[in-house]
Amino acid sequence: MAAAGWYHRDISQVVAEGLLAKAGRDGSFLVRDSESVKGAYALCLLFQRHVYTYRILPDDEGLLSVQTIQGIQAKCFRTLPDLIGTYQHPNNGLVTPLLHPVHRARPDEDSDGEDARGWGHTVPCPGAPPSSRTHIPQQLHQRLQEQVHSSPASDFMGFMAEYLTHHVQLDLEALCHGHPQLRHLSTALATACRALHSEIDFTLAGLETLARVFDPPVSPRSPAREQGFLSSDPDLELLLNKISTVNQLLSSLEKKVLKSLQETVTRHNLALPSVAVAPPPAARPLAVQNFEVKVGKSQRAALTVDVELGTVTVTKRGSGSPEEVIPQDKILQLIKYQSVQSKVRLMCARDNQKSVSRDFIFSSARKREAFCQLLQLMKIQHSNLDEPELISVYVGTWNMGSTPPPRSLASWLTSRGLGRTQDETTACIPHDIYVIGTQENSLGDREWVEFLCASLKTLMAIDYRVVALQCLWSIKIVVLVKPEHLRRISHVHTSSVKTGIANTLGNKGAVGVSFLFNGTSFGFVNCHLASGSEKTHRRNQNYSDILHSLALGDKRLGGFDLTLRFTHLFWFGDLNYRLDMDVQDILTHIVKKDFQALLAVDQLNLEREKNKVFLRFSEGDISFPPTYRYERGTRDTYVWQKSKPTGVRINVPSWCDRILWKSHPETHVVCNSYGCTDDIVTSDHSPVFATFEVGVTSQFVPKEAPGSSPEALACIEWESIEVILKTTSRSKCYIEFHSYCLEEMQRSGENTFQNCDIPGFLKLGWSSKHLPVLNPILPDLEYLGDQHLLLSIKGVESCESYGECCLAVRSAIGTTAQQFETFLFHRGEETGSVRGWMRVRVPRGRCGTRERLYEWISFEEEDAEPAAEAPVCPKPRPQRLRSRPRSLPEPATGYTNPAYFIFEGVPNAWLPAPGAAPKKQAEGSAGGQQSRSPTGPRVPLPSEEEPWGGRPRCGPPSPSRGPPLSPPRVGHHKRPKSAVLTRDTAGLGDCSLYVATHLSQLDQVSPHCRGDRHEVPLRQTHPALEPPPRPCREAPKPLGKRGGLDALELEAPPPADLQPARMQ
């Protein structure tokens, strides 16, 4: 058996369950690669609407056997098809025999001809003997047609096309018969490279002559005179030998010259002149900057910022009043207004122990941002901290179009051009880290890095150091840092993933770099995804492959979703998502600068709304025109027609080049600019840039030395955890807890509560007795406030993850337990939700903390006038109410995915319609964490609706903490009627849509739930976890007509036909 349709390679558990649910017949099965054991497989079997997973493990001799079949002796098989054939018969220990194989989708179902996932229609089955004759379809040649005609080396590609058409079949047959020489490929390569001989002979002769000058006794022999080649193709072997000789000569020539000159100096007693080492160029001091502002209703004034002296000077125009000089240590807080983008408020201390506020309105929002950046820089320079708490990160991406760059990249590296750009007063402030990603970069690796370093040195007068360079063909990523930060960089990892033809060619794919900056982990991914307006699905698959295969970060976190392994992850590149609109309409909107209409039909935004890609990522506001496809040499014309041998191809203007990011909860990251250049015209893409202000942590040093006093331990306690999984499995689960603040991974017991009454979902619960008490390695509050916990929900039988999440320890520090709730992710997909109660206890003597540099800037939505004179708060200051900028994803106070309401019994009249955006929410937060309060009727939180164990919650509902619980607002735009999405047909495999239909039917059997008032209260239909009793701190507040569940009850049970089949 040369191929097996039931083997699906490395698909995820969620995809496997979806395929089986779509099949719908008992006994349907497939085999996939195991996620927990390398080299093992997972047999997934559908029975009575539930998926059972069995692990197939190899032994030391390579024999395969099915694990965890109780009461039956394990049977061993040499090949996977033999194993499957045996278990197709009954009475072998499985819940049902293997009856109906679920086959893979054929590659031709994907419209992507260039980057289709497989070489042929079948994938060789692991362990199966090779076939005597393997068929290679003609589609293989068609997939290379575009590469053949678009490549500058069209003659060479022509030889390769001839080989693929006529000779690859012969080599494959020879390989199957045990002859691995690939004779026909060698002949094709020798023919294609014949022209290299003369060029290499000419170069080699010159290098040999130069080598003889400095090393007369030893002269490398010419490869042309070498004898005794054993290869079947001596021409190709000769060429390879020549190339190897050239490589050796080039690498050794410099050493030979140096050695010869040193011997000459020694022989003739020559004294080398002492060369004074030039000191590294000092960074240019920041010039004093002036800003024209308005004070009050009509008063004009000038603000002068001197970063070096650490002062802000206020000079009123025409009033004759003296200048007011404000030292940086007297500035207590800087408030940036969201409602008035050009307004800022300074809270300053006075000598009489009182504070005063000063409001200034700048000429533009960009001027205000420049002023705030200068004040932030002033605070950093005068903070006298040994380690930084705030750094600036520059991220750039550019598809260079296989042409050399222009002489100057100044506009790109200084974030000037179109969109949200840097003001001229701050454009030349050097960033701490520069991350440059390029695609179709024809320059050599060393040449490109030297060009970037020279460009930054010219602009910033700083010799940036190279942290990492990773390349995949013409896809490159370079990370540069200031010299003083090099010692703070550690644990550097690089990786690359090919997503080109059959995932074996690097013309498309991704490169990545990860490292630690002191105690903060960073990840950067530069990718080039499949091109073509119609290839959205293929781009989504590229993203999934990169997410699954890119090996970055701590190896101990390899089982976690890539997006959860880093404190901050930046993903950028030529994503190639296009606009779904007629090209003439697109051009009309561009001329009008009506970008919102175009963003509503942007494929990336649409796919993110459907939770297909980049879940919980953020992106800055796009206020610049599409960056592709321009006429080279100008930025005034889009060239949207491209001639191909198969006809004219339409490339509509699109935002192909993007920069997104995702960060752990309770961390600081602000996007200060996002735009593109307008003066770099060598490519059909415009370079894109984004700059970020990122909070970082350093190695914590406790004030008390270890062992100086009896160690008091901090502890993280769990009162209860409840999980809802989108799965058709009925497996028992456990939870793994990972964190850098723990000495080792901790594990819970098996779940104590389980409910699978709703088809396609599994509800699990753990009580406090079955959850571990976690003891961090350091008990200090300041240390714990920067830590995070990673949770992974794993099946007991398969040891495979059903979903992972990240929780901030800061949110649970206190004397009482705090509720958390967030989504679960696995391999880039949303797989469920988790909620519970946790408490972090800190010893009394370790509760000291301090305000971070980035915490003195806050964001206010409402323009409320405070008291003119307010007393200065004694230290430690109470936590201020603040919110984050709109560039961050917005947490919501309720789940927007209707899937998680099915266990709560919420009628679907309360749920947002598919694709509908939640209403705008007002900002308000406590303790530096953003929270949102709805301004109108909303979907209540499960934590607000459902009494735990029938006990009403004491006190008002706590704000949502941790990662955002609703999709980011970025990408939610008003969509024209012509661009309304067509939803897939609801089916069991599509959990969200199936649940929406199920809820609709539940709503129909509740006739009283109509209109503005719901008179029929909801009754809880399942047991719930019950935390220990807690004292009431405040009486519950009424939530209005539709704000509380105590006014709802579902009297009629669901119809009998909606009850799922239950396994006895």
Side-chain angles (χ1 to χ4, degrees), residues 34-51:
S34 171
E35 296 182 17
S36 57
V37 180
K38 188 175 182 180
Y41 307 98
L43 171 62
C44 302
L45 176 61
L46 181 67
F47 181 68
Q48 293 187 358
R49 304 181 74 175
H50 293 283
V51 174

Side-chain angles (χ1 to χ4, degrees), residues 91 154 313 363 365 389 505 660 767 799 849 874 912:
N91 303 322
S154 57
T313 304
S363 59
E389 293 180 344
L505 296 186
L660 302 96
S767 63
C799 296
T849 185

Side-chain angles (χ1 to χ4, degrees), residues 219-341:
S219 177
R221 299 174 59 192
S222 172
R225 294 188 292 273
E226 293 286 346
Q227 301 293 331
F229 292 110
L230 301 178
S231 172
S232 60
D233 196 323
D235 286 341
L236 184 59
E237 189 71 25
L238 178 63
L239 179 63
L240 293 174
N241 195 285
K242 288 180 180 180
I243 294 174
S244 177
T245 304
V246 170
N247 183 38
Q248 293 174 6
L249 281 172
L250 287 174
S251 61
S252 64
L253 192 55
E254 184 178 356
K255 296 179 181 179
K256 287 185 178 183
V257 174
L258 178 61
K259 181 179 179 180
S260 177
L261 294 178
Q262 288 174 342
E263 290 175 351
T264 302
V265 170
T266 303
R267 188 181 306 116
H268 297 283
N269 294 323
L270 298 177
L272 291 176
S274 58
V275 179
V277 179
R284 297 170 182 168
L286 289 173
V288 177
Q289 302 294 342
N290 296 295
F291 297 90
E292 294 292 331
V293 297
K294 185 171 69 171
V295 182
K297 295 183 178 180
S298 59
Q299 179 69 49
R300 296 286 176 178
L303 294 181
T304 303
V305 181
D306 192 327
V307 174
E308 303 299 329
L309 289 180
T311 60
V312 176
T313 304
V314 183
T315 306
K316 293 184 179 181
R317 302 295 188 191
S319 64
S321 59
E323 296 180 344
E324 180 184 0
V325 179
I326 308 174
Q328 60 86 21
D329 58 344
K330 296 294 184 180
I331 302 177
L332 303 178
Q333 190 178 15
L334 181 65
I335 302 174
K336 296 161 66 173
Y337 285 92
Q338 299 282 53
S339 54
V340 183
Q341 292 290 311

Side-chain angles (χ1 to χ4, degrees), residues 905 907 1002-1003 1005-1007 1009 1016-1019 1021 1048-1054:
L1002 287 176
D1003 190 36
V1005 301
S1006 181
C1009 297
V1016 186
L1018 264 171
R1019 180 172 60 250
T1021 58
L1048 296 173
E1049 187 170 36
L1050 187 64
E1051 290 185 335

Side-chain angles (χ1 to χ4, degrees), residues 890 892 894-896 912-913 915-921 937-938 966-969 972:
E890 297 184 8
Y895 292 106
T896 58
K919 295 184 179 181
K920 183 179 179 181
Q921 300 168 334
R938 62 176 175 86
S966 62
R969 300 304 316 132
H972 290 259

Side-chain angles (χ1 to χ4, degrees), residues 937-966:
R938 62 176 175 86
V939 180
L941 272 171
S943 58
E944 296 174 20
E945 302 163 10
E946 179 186 324
W948 290 60
R951 182 183 294 107
R953 181 178 308 276
C954 297
S958 60
S960 171
R961 296 181 182 268
L965 301 181
S966 62

Side-chain angles (χ1 to χ4, degrees), residues 12-17 32 35-36 42-45 50-55 559-561 564 723-736 751 754 760-764 766 791-805 823-834 900:
S12 68
Q13 183 174 245
V14 174
V15 173
E17 291 184 1
R32 58 179 174 83
E35 296 182 17
S36 57
L43 171 62
C44 302
L45 176 61
H50 293 283
V51 174
Y52 296 81
T53 302
Y54 302 89
R55 281 202 295 186
F560 282 85
D561 192 288
L564 294 176
V723 171
I724 299 177
L725 298 175
K726 292 197 283 189
T727 178
T728 52
S729 172
R730 302 177 67 178
S731 171
K732 286 274 190 176
C733 292
Y734 63 92
I735 305 175
E736 285 186 354
N751 56 285
Q754 189 159 329
F761 292 86
L762 177 65
K763 187 172 185 178
L764 308 170
W766 285 262
L791 277 60
S792 178
I793 316 299
K794 291 191 172 182
V796 173
E797 293 85 3
S798 65
C799 296
E800 293 184 342
S801 175
Y802 284 92
E804 306 97 44
C805 70
F823 287 117
L824 295 170
F825 304 94
H826 184 62
R827 292 180 63 167
E829 300 179 75
E830 181 188 309
T831 58
S833 68
V834 58
Y900 308 125

